[in-house]
């Protein structure tokens, strides 16, 4: 069965798997105190050109979001996000379960706008009743967004400036960061992201690892006892090696970029196939997720031959669906898809 | 200083105060086990024509909202409210602090619409990812709303029907319920509200009490050990008499309605004064809160002579302000206001 | 019916009630922004000889404990308390509901010991796994304790020293503080308590108010936006005057001490009556709560004539019960009790 | 470097690793909807002889405890555990972070006693103030315990009977369940555990998996929308295959028992070595964790050659340390240890 359902349909990239196999029998201390952890963190700091950064590994994205947001926010604060943000919609209330409100902003293809953000913050402090309200305590963005779109350097700089003007940390959800970094349409590098954001994470699960995300506090700004907070959230991996060995491999010899570039190239070919077949796109996505408009009546039939994700209704008779590429997408997969379409 | 700032600027209605004075020296058990509590609950159930109702007294509105919503919702559920709802905006994240999301709907003058509500719930269950999302577990409305508006019987019935169709409890915030019941423009009675809502509260603080709200579970549907939940939220009053004696007085000889009617009559006169003086209203409110548009430049000067509340900006140069009447508003106050205007 | 059930069986002390009556018709702003609030806070700071103190009023004790502890603790911290502490046993999990653990210490008649406290904290930091554990972030004591006992100046100083050595704030629950201050066996004054504790509250509900507790951050050390946290906990009183007017009266002309002294004197007489009648005490209490050992078989009969509280079983056939005095206890009450015994 | 530090020092058992390698390139749906998940669940239900059981996979133990306990308890309930229980001491307040109290009982070598449990529950309901207290809503035990000890069938049956008499679910933390099942001193089988407990988990991480625990609701008694609760806790694994493939392997051809038996046999040999060398044991442990008393002064030197865990001080001059065996412990490791000792 052909599958373009997501970028987490296959296991680990061969080089990541190889690293796990190679180190499997080595006795290593638990909870991230192993030597691969130290080495992987060093590599990530180097890749970010952020020598003061603090890096932590946890297993998944929602876990990352809840432990970071829950630990950084003070009790009277909430986090600002696009109304389509993953934390706002698709994490089953994980942020609220930590006691904090997600304050939403309108989005444009998944992105928030610096001017709207500043207006929101200004309106808050201008409100006579602001002491009865949730304080804006963090800004959360995804890059790529839920819709595969990317912030430009100018856009991210503007958001970062607003955050700094109001002393609000900026947190980037980089579950698919590698696809953003390798897009043909981006002008943002990893060091620039590390510079403009206060906190971000480098996604592993959707970038060729079995699991794992690397949380980066760019300026040594991790909250006090963040290790203990990871434990409290149930996010501390006993066999920490599972995460560190994978990230050590992902940041060896540019593998992370290799994976990203492969998926982007496959996505470009995918776009061409859909375009040639006359399909319309819901939006122009420069990354590995492509949103195509299909006739709802034909979904079922297509699903018998190829797996993809249902996104949202589009008018009465059509549906937006998502096709995603990944490290494991092959030219044969694309040829087979073309034949089916 | 003249004050139309809110409906909680003065102490207790004389008859409420009298009841407190009269019972002050009686030894009574704590935590709501006093005889006035039993009597007040009985009166409320009679006024609601809801013999199976369960009634609880707590001191304030936000407290009521958080203990009711926090206790009724299951962990995977959130509460649906208008984006202008008190719980959505002005309770400092009290609901989220109990671990639950406030899911917002657009509003029309503070009200939500049954059709939009049903569409929201339907869209939730139709979403392929709904298991990754917060379940709709309660509907919260205010009556009167934040803008002083009222649901008609038809509107409330429609919302109630949607709730019942999806087995979602309907909770009405009645901080100012008495003003709604006594409005000249309402067609809803207390028994009808008790019938259409699963849970509601009868506001005391803004209706002539020093403090106190009466939570009504209309159909004997209080969650298990709700008393203990009140304690856990810090909402259990040791001298429960403070609440029960006041409600006993409010529901003696129709005092609650007397207070409501007085404030409504004063509000009607207030409206006439503003209209005669050529002021514009932000909206037509049928209750005791009136929203008037003032020139921002003149606010400060007016504030020196009369207290009112700043609501929100209106264009570049104007501001919406609120004038509220209460049990203690007099014809002299109105005459003085007229003179100032 | 005679009642020694608790110190909150009657309403307000006449002078407190008088103050409420006198100010009832004055229009005053809400949420603690009234002039009586400013004045009461000034009086309290003067009584504490703590000019930098920050004072906040809330309605009840559990509310106070949860908003103070919940706001001061960081997410990775818990609060240390005696295993008999109110927060550990009788607040229905209110502290845990804010996400924090109550770490218990053994007690001696309700008190904790500085040496045991220090040993606990030292053991924590000496533990190889301390990063997997809840950090000690606050020390909570009651004065008087649950058993009516008092810390001596030496004992409190020792606890305070341990707290400061480890940079852990010391919080005193003073629900019955006035009875402690007026005991014939105390050597601690209010200014000394303000000096030795970082946070404490001056109980009103059990000291002649209808409701109300005054939270004191002795050294201007209130956490950021504590007002907003009060709101979030549902503990903000709309008619803030209800609290401020009462505290203004309690701290006028030494009324707080007058109330305390009266109850202590009544308790001393009560002790004598029980002793003369041959009853045994569960412990020697120097304050207004007296714990007497009664034959369980005779409880029911006695309860028909006088109300008191069941405390705990004492062996197979006896029960510890509590008799409490208050501002409203009279010599007639005591004579009647004597006759019954 | 020789390591007996824990049972999670090495990667995956070769057969588990092989299964991951073999399935690595297969496209599979995420979030546990893969075919291996269905198959692994079927195998586990068969091994438990519990056809109505519901099985869920999550990555780690603390995660399991917080999602199970947090989801099953109602807001007014807490969980009863030994004072040495993992949730009581070593999960950084994860349970309290979900809003629930851990109610502790004394322990005997890590175990609780049915009689003490019943006394605790009875005392709760007999307490006049029980409505002001946290209700006992679950009983948590570990098997093996923190000290490697095991419940006998008689002991577990007695605890189970108490739980059923009071309608309180019994939850067993089986992080090291396999070592318990394979101990030479146990009389409890997996089906018996499934029968006597309402909920338990079968540990993977400490039993030869890279990560993963299998939660079993023995009688189809999973709480509503438990999948969503897993997501909310950040415990939903996107590449669910990582968990399901490993459990599919662990429950193929008795591998789980094979791993358990190997570690137990190694532990028996380890015991003999220590005994022969004249060391004393802190307690008799029938499973893979052995607690030995060492001179504190010699710890550092020994640590240079072999890794082990510091447990707790033993008097002034000695220390309890833990040596653990696992699937990867070899006779060579033991011989090397013997030489060092």
């Amino acid at each position: 069965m052909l599958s373009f359902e997501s970028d987490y349909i296959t296991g680990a990239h061969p080089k990541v798997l190889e690293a796990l196999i190679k180190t499997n029998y080595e006795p290593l201390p638990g909870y991230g105190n192993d030597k691969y952890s130290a080495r992987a963190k060093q590599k990530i700091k180097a890749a970010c050109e952020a020598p003061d950064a603090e890096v932590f590994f946890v297993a998944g994205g929602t876990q990352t979001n809840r432990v970071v947001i829950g630990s950084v926010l003070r009790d009277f604060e909430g986090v600002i996000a696009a109304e389509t943000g993953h934390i706002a919609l698709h994490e089953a209330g994980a942020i609220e379960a930590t006691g904090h409100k997600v304050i939403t902003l309108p989005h444009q293809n998944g992105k928030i706008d610096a001017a709207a953000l500043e207006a929101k913050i200004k309106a808050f402090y201008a409100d006579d009743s602001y002491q009865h309200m949730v304080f804006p305590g963090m800004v959360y963005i995804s890059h790529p967004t839920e819709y595969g779109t990317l912030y430009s350097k100018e856009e991210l700089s503007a958001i970062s400036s607003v955050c700094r003007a109001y002393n609000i940390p900026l947190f980037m959800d980089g579950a698919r960061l590698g696809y953003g970094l390798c897009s043909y349409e981006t002008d943002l590098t990893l060091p620039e992201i590390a510079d403009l954001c206060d906190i971000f994470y480098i996604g592993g699960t959707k970038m060729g690892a079995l699991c794992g995300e690397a949380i980066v506090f760019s300026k040594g700004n991790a909250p006090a006892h963040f290790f203990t907070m990871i434990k409290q959230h149930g996010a501390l991996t006993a066999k920490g090696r599972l995460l560190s060995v994978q990230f050590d491999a992902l940041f060896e010899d540019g593998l992370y970029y290799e994976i990203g570039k492969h998926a982007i190239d496959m996505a470009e070919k995918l776009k061409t196939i859909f375009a040639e077949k006359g399909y319309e796109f819901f939006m122009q996505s420069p990354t590995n997720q492509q949103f195509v408009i299909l006739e709802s009546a034909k979904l079922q039939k297509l699903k018998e031959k190829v797996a993809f994700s249902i996104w949202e209704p589009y008018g009465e008779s059509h549906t937006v669906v998502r096709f995603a590429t990944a490290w494991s997408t092959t030219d044969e997969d694309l040829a087979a898809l073309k034949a089916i379409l």
Side-chain angles (χ1 to χ4, degrees), chain A:
Chain A
M1 168 92 167
L2 206 52
S3 179
F4 289 89
E5 199 177 349
S6 75
D7 33 24
Y8 41 94
I9 53 159
T10 40
H13 184 278
K15 290 183 186 168
V16 171
L17 188 61
E18 186 54 37
L20 286 171
I21 295 168
K22 203 172 132 191
T23 59
N24 190 60
Y25 298 91
E26 267 182 70
L28 291 172
Y31 304 121
N33 296 314
D34 61 282
K35 64 186 178 194
Y36 298 105
S37 179
R39 197 166 79 181
K41 288 178 182 184
Q42 207 43 56
K43 287 179 184 174
I44 287 172
K45 285 158 72 171
C48 293
E49 296 175 12
D52 299 331
E54 294 173 89
V55 181
F56 297 84
F57 300 118
V58 300
T62 296
Q63 207 168 63
T64 297
N65 288 336
R66 63 174 286 157
V67 70
V68 166
I69 296 171
S71 302
V72 169
L73 289 181
R74 288 173 295 175
D75 290 349
F76 52 89
E77 295 176 331
V79 56
I80 298 179
E83 61 197 358
T84 51
H86 207 251
I87 58 167
L89 268 190
H90 288 113
E91 298 192 349
I95 303 307
E96 290 83 1
T98 72
H100 298 285
K101 190 182 190 70
V102 180
I103 304 161
T104 52
L105 280 181
H107 76 111
Q108 303 82 26
N109 291 342
K111 297 195 288 180
I112 61 167
D113 173 69
L117 173 64
E118 181 158 29
K120 184 88 174 180
I121 301 171
K122 271 193 175 163
F124 171 81
Y125 284 107
D127 195 312
D128 245 38
S129 302
Y130 79 95
Q131 290 190 300
H132 295 238
M133 296 164 70
V134 176
F135 282 62
M138 182 186 268
V139 173
Y140 165 95
I141 55 174
S142 306
H143 182 88
T145 67
E146 304 295 306
Y147 289 97
T149 52
L150 294 171
Y151 288 93
S152 69
K153 194 185 300 184
E154 191 182 342
E155 289 167 339
L156 186 63
S157 299
I159 290 172
S160 181
S161 293
V162 172
C163 286
R164 284 173 194 174
Y166 290 93
N167 201 23
I168 294 175
L170 175 58
F171 172 40
M172 177 186 280
D173 179 332
R176 296 185 167 95
L177 189 57
Y179 303 127
L181 293 172
C182 296
S183 168
Y184 289 106
E185 298 180 29
T186 193
D187 61 350
L188 271 170
T189 65
L190 186 53
E192 285 165 349
I193 285 170
D195 179 44
L196 293 169
C197 297
D198 300 288
I199 316 162
F200 65 102
Y201 78 88
I202 301 173
T205 308
K206 291 166 180 166
M207 291 291 301
L210 286 171
C211 63
E213 325 294 324
I215 304 170
V216 183
F217 291 94
S218 309
K219 288 101 185 169
N221 53 320
H225 298 297
F226 190 65
F227 177 92
T228 300
M229 290 307 299
I230 290 177
K231 178 69 181 168
Q232 185 180 94
H233 281 254
L236 187 62
T237 300
K239 289 189 181 171
R241 65 194 299 148
L242 170 59
L243 306 175
S244 58
V245 165
Q246 291 187 89
F247 269 99
D248 187 53
L250 285 171
F251 278 83
E252 180 72 21
D253 282 340
L255 177 59
Y256 195 70
Y257 289 87
E258 187 185 308
I259 289 170
K261 187 165 185 319
H262 174 80
I264 290 295
D265 285 342
M266 290 289 128
E268 291 299 318
K269 291 180 185 174
L270 184 88
K271 263 199 254 193
T272 306
I273 291 170
F274 274 108
E276 284 174 5
K277 293 282 180 181
Y279 287 86
E280 278 188 61
F281 294 91
F282 179 54
M283 55 176 38
Q284 289 306 316
S285 158
T287 58
N288 75 314
Q289 300 180 84
Q290 296 298 325
F291 299 88
V292 184
I293 299 166
L294 296 186
E295 255 185 88
S296 304
K298 296 187 179 164
L299 285 185
Q300 207 45 51
K301 185 132 183 255
L302 188 58
K303 274 213 150 182
E304 286 164 19
K305 295 185 185 158
V306 54
F308 51 86
S309 295
I310 303 295
W311 217 246
E312 55 191 66
Y314 185 80
E316 293 297 306
S317 60
H318 287 70
T319 302
V320 180
V321 304
R322 185 189 70 176
F323 283 75
T325 60
W327 67 266
S328 56
T329 308
T330 62
D331 280 320
E332 288 70 36
D333 293 337
L334 292 174
L337 176 65
K338 190 170 180 178
I340 291 167
L341 295 175

